[in-house]
Amino acid sequence: RNQEKMAKLYADRPNFHSYGLNSRDDQALAQLVDQVYKEFGRIDVFINNAGFGEFKAFDTFDAPSIRETFDVNTLAAINFSRLVGERMAVAGSGHIINIASMAGKMATAKASVYAATKFALIGYSNALRLELADSQVYVMTVNPGPISTKFFDKADPSGSYLKAVARYSLTPEQVAKKIVANMGKNKRELNLPLAMAFAAKFYALFPKTADFLSRKAFNYK
């Protein structure tokens, strides 16, 4: 999240390097990719994880906040994937992992903008996977349900939503271990937890019923 925190977290790790940038700055993204390749020569695994959201009614958003959410959640990840993906294609190997969300597979009320950013990221990743397949570059989306992190400090300041879905909540460590276990594997997507992965399949197969249940029985926001 910031270089000072990263330095403390990884103080005892060898070969650790930290870079800071504004992910909304297209030029800064390109310069960072150039810098990393100049210093290290290659990127084997690239994880796009930056993101935030707000859970509130659609008509309470304004244009600048919508644009900012797309800039961070979607456009930064797309641009990083593009810049790194083309270099991985030349190398003939690599793994791009885009952290999306179950919200990008199942839209819910009061998460309209956040869901839209994640639907877009999944769509881009699915197309990118096809384009990079012949270059032996893998593209995987990670679609977790709620994770107990500071994400909810902004998304759900009251804490009521996270409390209501506590039985589905994941810890950062759980998600990280699953991601690490799938690095370098040609896996299309990672959906967590299992119960929500099944729910996403139900949503795709029975959308009208899913809409009714999301609006009535499982409306936690």
Side-chain angles (χ1 to χ4, degrees):
R1 300 300 182 181
N2 60 70
Q3 287 184 282
E4 182 180 348
K5 183 177 180 180
M6 294 291 283
K8 290 179 181 178
L9 286 172
Y10 290 90
D12 61 342
R13 304 278 179 156
N15 301 318
F16 167 72
H17 300 267
S18 176
Y19 304 88
L21 82 161
N22 176 3
S23 63
R24 301 182 68 193
D25 185 336
D26 296 338
Q27 186 175 359
L29 266 63
Q31 289 174 344
L32 178 59
V33 173
D34 285 341
Q35 182 180 352
V36 171
Y37 271 90
K38 284 178 182 177
E39 291 184 21
F40 302 102
R42 63 186 292 120
I43 293 176
D44 295 299
V45 179
F46 191 90
I47 303 175
N48 278 302
N49 188 47
F52 74 97
E54 295 180 274
F55 295 161
K56 59 185 184 180
F58 78 95
D59 54 356
T60 61
F61 286 94
D62 57 23
S65 66
I66 294 171
R67 187 169 290 108
E68 181 184 13
T69 310
F70 268 92
D71 282 345
V72 175
N73 292 9
T74 311
L75 297 181
I78 286 175
N79 281 318
F80 262 137
S81 296
R82 174 179 59 85
L83 294 166
V84 175
E86 62 185 3
R87 294 183 188 241
M88 286 181 170
V90 172
S93 66
H95 196 172
I96 296 171
I97 300 174
N98 289 329
I99 310 300
S101 170
M102 275 293 172
K105 298 178 78 69
M106 300 184 290
T108 56
K110 295 187 178 179
S112 57
V113 175
Y114 181 71
T117 66
K118 296 302 184 177
F119 267 88
L121 181 57
I122 291 173
Y124 178 82
S125 300
N126 288 345
L128 183 65
R129 183 185 305 109
L130 302 178
E131 295 192 44
L132 291 175
D134 291 339
S135 301
Q136 304 305 307
V137 177
Y138 304 146
V139 179
M140 179 175 74
T141 57
V142 179
N143 306 307
I147 307 173
S148 300
T149 67
K150 290 185 178 295
F151 170 89
F152 288 100
D153 290 355
K154 184 175 183 67
D156 174 43
S158 70
S160 58
Y161 172 74
L162 193 57
K163 185 177 180 180
V165 298
R167 64 183 179 276
Y168 304 117
S169 295
L170 300 160
T171 66
E173 291 78 11
Q174 286 174 310
V175 179
K177 286 179 180 178
K178 287 285 189 179
I179 292 171
V180 171
N182 284 281
M183 284 180 178
K185 296 181 181 179
N186 190 11
K187 188 176 180 66
R188 189 173 188 276
E189 59 185 21
L190 182 61
N191 300 310
L192 305 167
L194 188 61
M196 295 195 77
F198 281 124
K201 290 185 180 295
F202 181 88
Y203 185 95
L205 291 170
F206 307 102
K208 288 188 71 174
T209 304
D211 276 355
F212 176 81
L213 292 174
S214 295
R215 190 164 59 90
K216 297 292 185 180
F218 301 115
N219 186 9
Y220 297 120
K221 294 188 184 75

